[in-house]
């Protein structure tokens, strides 16, 4: 009886406690009233917790009298007690001035928040400022100074500008950053109202250098502005701290490229590599030239430059989804060698013939995406894609900054206004939890997987992941695991100043997708308009090429480009080895420079005789220059299909396409300062390109000629 009473009492108490639980909801913002996504909301003393979404909203169950804790990196942890009549708890979190690593300059003053002692300085010229289309000086500075970011917001009708200087030292108290205009201390508001065309130069001093130059007033960093027509001269100490102008792209990251050398056919008759349909390198180089900047050698991927352009390859007619084409000419820049072109043409499908799509837009909305050539351009680019969607296509939108969240559940292409409205609402701010965003996007894509359809995540970012898994290796492991789901990945790069090309290429390669760099709406139209099918629909995956050269005719060969796509010879028949994907209508072009037998060349080095191995030439293949083998899998397949094409030794007059492809390859070699360009000149590139311009319906080849001319005049 006692046990029965005890059970009844416990049950009654439990029900009573449960009845006291109530739903608490609210909105958490930052000090400027902007929503804070990813705030950890936890009922103290329990494991009950949640996070705010991208509108700063949260909902949690808590008992009367309990305490809720609110925590977010860079902000002071807050606690609120649940009272009897409490149903809503909304407030603005306070910045923790001892935890962040940035300096924030506003029109009202400066909040300095970094503890790290670090000195750096940069100079932005008047020419760089006036290149910007933005009439506001501080907006024009965006991405032109390493670690400097601009955030504009409208709160209660008042426009506020924030300049973020990452890497400055910390001081206690609410000190203001020092702004010096023509030698006189001024305000951030004055700077924001200045026109770029009136400024001669802007110097940014961060870290201990500010204190060394201007005492305690410069502890939070110094922005030194000199206007045109002013007699003001920079102090000698400033010139000491600014040893040289620093490019505003000095945080861009590219994978190092070690140029392919000539291989002796007797010891290495096979050349094996993965195809590459990425075109990001060319559009990135175009952006650098248009901005009058130096082109880093490792940003030049010759295969991506060559493959940016279309060539007149015939459509496939047989059972395979692509045609194979070869051509052999005398090398335009070296009379002692020959140039071979191998071209693939993917089958082109009309948009209405493509299978239904399950697309997940994964969009970086972190603070680094705030400038005009990032998130605003990104939105416009995605709108081009949305306007081509059919009713059977579905789109979801996932965004990430300090945390990841879903802003649009799967929506039919017939509801374009709903999708476009969701895009328009996106704003930038916060850190960059790219790995978390990828996890969520793939999870959503898997949940809505379309069998026999096109399941794809389309990531748009500058690649600056800095929260959670973020290294290239971390991303590689993550994507290798995710591609097993059957969801493909396309990667779109935006912006400059901290563009992480190496990371984005890794993501696309390992995610069975492609990588493009969007620098203008013209490029967006090319990727999402002209090449819509190729961008979104894969017709063959894990496409590998293996070329066997005939030692009776070829002494040595060199693959031009594809340095980071090389495979071991045994990988060719290993179906577990990943390779590139081919989209609808895509073309792939590879160029080899070969040294014929009997030709003496400075590039050809002798080898000693083999003691244990004797190589015999087979005379019945005396007319064959090489045999090329292709292996590919169907998009949903696991077993490779092989094709073979034999090229007869026959040097011909160069076709128009061959001349143009040669011009692009030679230009890439010159940009990379290649030892194999045979001291050729830019005029040699121009002559070849003009001869290979052809009909040029879309004007891309003419644009290439203009770019080479522009670079020649720099």
């Amino acid at each position: 009886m006692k046990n029965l009473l005890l059970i009844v009492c416990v049950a009654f108490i439990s029900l009573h406690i449960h009845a006291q639980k109530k739903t608490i909801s609210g909105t958490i913002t930052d000090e400027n009233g902007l929503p804070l996504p990813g705030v950890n909301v936890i009922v103290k003393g329990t494991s009950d917790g949640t996070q705010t979404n991208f509108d700063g909203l949260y909902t949690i169950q808590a008992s009367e009298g309990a305490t809720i804790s609110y925590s977010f990196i860079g902000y002071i942890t807050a606690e609120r007690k649940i009272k009897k009549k409490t149903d809503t708890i909304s407030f603005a979190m306070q910045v923790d001035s001892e935890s962040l690593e940035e300096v924030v300059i506003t029109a009202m003053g400066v909040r300095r928040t970094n503890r790290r002692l670090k000195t750096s300085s940069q100079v932005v010229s008047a020419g760089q400022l006036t290149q910007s289309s933005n009439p506001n000086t501080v907006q024009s500075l965006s991405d032109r100074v390493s670690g400097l970011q601009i955030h504009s917001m409208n709160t209660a009708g008042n426009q506020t500008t924030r300049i973020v200087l990452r890497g400055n030292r910390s001081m206690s108290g609410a000190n203001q950053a020092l702004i010096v205009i023509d030698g006189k201390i001024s305000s951030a508001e004055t700077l924001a109202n200045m026109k770029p065309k009136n400024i001669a130069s802007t110097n940014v001093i961060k870290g201990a250098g500010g204190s060394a130059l201007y005492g305690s007033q410069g502890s939070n960093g110094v922005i030194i502005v000199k206007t045109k027509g002013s007699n003001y001269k920079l102090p000698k100490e400033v010139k000491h701290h600014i040893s040289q102008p620093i490019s505003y792209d000095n945080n861009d990251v590219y994978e190092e490229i070690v140029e392919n050398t000539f291989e002796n056919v007797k010891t290495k008759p096979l050349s094996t590599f993965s195809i590459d349909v990425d075109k990001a390198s060319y559009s990135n180089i175009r952006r650098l030239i248009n901005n009058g900047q130096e082109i880093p050698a490792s940003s030049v991927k010759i295969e991506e430059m060559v493959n940016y352009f279309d060539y007149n390859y015939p459509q496939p007619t047989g059972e395979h989804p692509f045609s194979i084409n070869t051509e052999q000419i005398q090398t335009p820049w070296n009379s002692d060698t020959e140039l071979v072109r191998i071209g693939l043409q993917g089958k082109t499908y009309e948009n209405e013939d493509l299978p239904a799509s399950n697309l997940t837009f994964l969009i970086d909305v972190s603070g680094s995406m705030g400038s005009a050539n990032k998130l605003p351009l990104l939105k416009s680019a995605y709108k081009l894609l949305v306007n081509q969607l059919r009713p059977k296509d579905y789109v979801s939108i996932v965004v990430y900054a300090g945390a990841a969240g879903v802003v649009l559940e799967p929506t039919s292409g017939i509801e374009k206004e709903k999708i476009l409205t969701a895009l328009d609402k996106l704003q930038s701010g916060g850190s960059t939890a790219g790995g978390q965003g990828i996890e969520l996007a793939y999870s959503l894509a898997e949940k809505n997987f379309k069998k026999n359809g096109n399941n794809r995540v389309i990531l748009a970012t500058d690649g600056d992941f800095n929260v959670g898994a973020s290294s290239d290796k971390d991303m590689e492991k993550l994507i290798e695991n995710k591609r097993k789901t059957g969801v493909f990945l396309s990667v779109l790069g935006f912006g400059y100043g901290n563009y992480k090309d190496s990371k984005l290429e890794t993501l696309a390669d390992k995610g069975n997708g492609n990588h493009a760099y969007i620098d203008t709406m013209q490029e967006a139209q090319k990727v999402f308009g002209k090449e819509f099918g190729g961008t979104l629909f894969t017709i063959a995956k894990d496409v590998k090429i293996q070329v066997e050269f005939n030692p009776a005719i070829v002494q040595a060969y060199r693959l031009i480009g594809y340095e980071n796509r090389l495979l071991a010879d045994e990988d060719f028949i290993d179906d577990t080895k990943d390779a590139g994907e081919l989209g609808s209508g895509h073309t792939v072009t590879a160029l080899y420079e070969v040294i014929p037998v009997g030709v003496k060349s400075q590039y050809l080095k002798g080898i000693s005789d083999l003691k244990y191995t004797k190589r015999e030439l087979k005379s019945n293949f005396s007319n064959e220059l090489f045999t090329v083998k292709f292996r590919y899998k169907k998009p949903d397949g696991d077993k490779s299909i092989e094709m073979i094409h034999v090229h007869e030794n026959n040097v011909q007059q160069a076709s128009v396409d061959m001349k143009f492809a040669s011009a692009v390859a030679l230009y890439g070699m010159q940009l990379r300062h290649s030892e194999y360009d045979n001291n050729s000149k830019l005029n040699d590139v121009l002559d070849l390109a003009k001869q290979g311009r052809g009909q040029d319906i879309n004007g891309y080849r003419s644009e290439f000629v203009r770019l080479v001319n522009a670079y020649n005049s720099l």
Side-chain angles (χ1 to χ4, degrees), residues 302-347:
I302 296 177
E303 73 279 4
E304 293 188 13
M305 295 177 65
V306 171
N307 285 321
Y308 183 86
F309 302 93
D310 289 333
Y311 302 99
N312 190 28
Y313 299 135
Q315 281 287 308
T317 56
E319 58 178 315
H320 301 291
F322 46 81
S323 66
I324 302 171
N325 310 273
T326 56
E327 185 175 1
Q328 177 186 359
I329 66 169
Q330 180 178 308
T331 305
W333 58 86
N334 191 334
S335 59
D336 293 333
T337 65
E338 294 171 4
L339 195 65
V340 171
R341 177 171 64 133
I342 300 173
L344 300 182
Q345 172 65 60
K347 185 176 181 179

Side-chain angles (χ1 to χ4, degrees), residues 355-389:
S357 292
N358 162 35
L359 305 178
T360 303
F361 296 171
L362 175 57
I363 300 175
D364 180 354
V365 294
S366 64
S368 67
M369 293 292 290
S371 55
N373 58 10
K374 294 186 181 180
L375 187 58
L377 176 60
L378 181 159
K379 291 180 185 180
S380 299
Y382 269 108
K383 289 176 183 178
L384 292 174
L385 172 56
V386 171
N387 286 328
Q388 297 185 74
L389 297 177

Side-chain angles (χ1 to χ4, degrees), residues 377-444:
L377 176 60
L378 181 159
K379 291 180 185 180
S380 299
Y382 269 108
K383 289 176 183 178
L384 292 174
L385 172 56
V386 171
N387 286 328
Q388 297 185 74
L389 297 177
R390 305 156 299 180
K392 65 180 180 180
D393 300 324
Y394 278 77
V395 168
S396 309
I397 300 179
V398 174
V399 293
Y400 65 89
V406 178
V407 298
L408 183 70
E409 295 289 344
T411 302
S412 168
I414 202 170
E415 297 185 80
K416 291 182 174 58
E417 287 300 322
K418 183 177 180 181
I419 302 172
L420 295 175
T421 299
L423 286 170
D424 282 333
K425 289 182 178 179
L426 299 181
Q427 294 183 330
S428 62
S431 52
T432 318
Q436 188 177 350
I438 290 171
E439 292 273 10
L440 182 57
Y442 268 93
S443 175
L444 193 60

Side-chain angles (χ1 to χ4, degrees), residues 256-264 268 270-274 300-303 333 556-567 590-593 595 603 669 672-677:
E256 183 180 0
I257 297 175
V258 179
E259 187 175 33
N260 290 331
T261 60
F262 277 97
E263 300 285 354
N264 193 304
K268 195 178 187 309
L270 297 177
S271 172
T272 310
F273 63 98
S274 162
V300 181
K301 301 169 191 170
I302 296 177
E303 73 279 4
W333 58 86
Y557 63 87
R558 188 178 80 86
L559 176 61
I560 301 176
Y562 291 92
E563 283 85 357
N564 56 2
R565 301 284 182 155
L566 301 180
L567 297 173
L591 297 173
Y592 281 94
E593 187 175 3
I595 302 175
Y603 305 127
M669 291 163 61
R672 288 194 49 78
H673 310 293
S674 169
E675 65 175 297
Y676 303 109
D677 68 3

Side-chain angles (χ1 to χ4, degrees), residues 27 52 60 104 116 133 146 192 209 225 231 245-246 257 268 283 337 357 403 432 461 492 496 520 547 608 635 709:
T27 302
T52 56
I60 194 170
V104 181
R116 187 178 301 169
S133 60
S146 172
V225 177
N231 294 323
I246 300 176
I257 297 175
K268 195 178 187 309
S283 51
T337 65
S357 292
T432 318
T461 176
L492 306 177
Y496 47 85
T520 61
V547 182
S608 59
N709 270 318

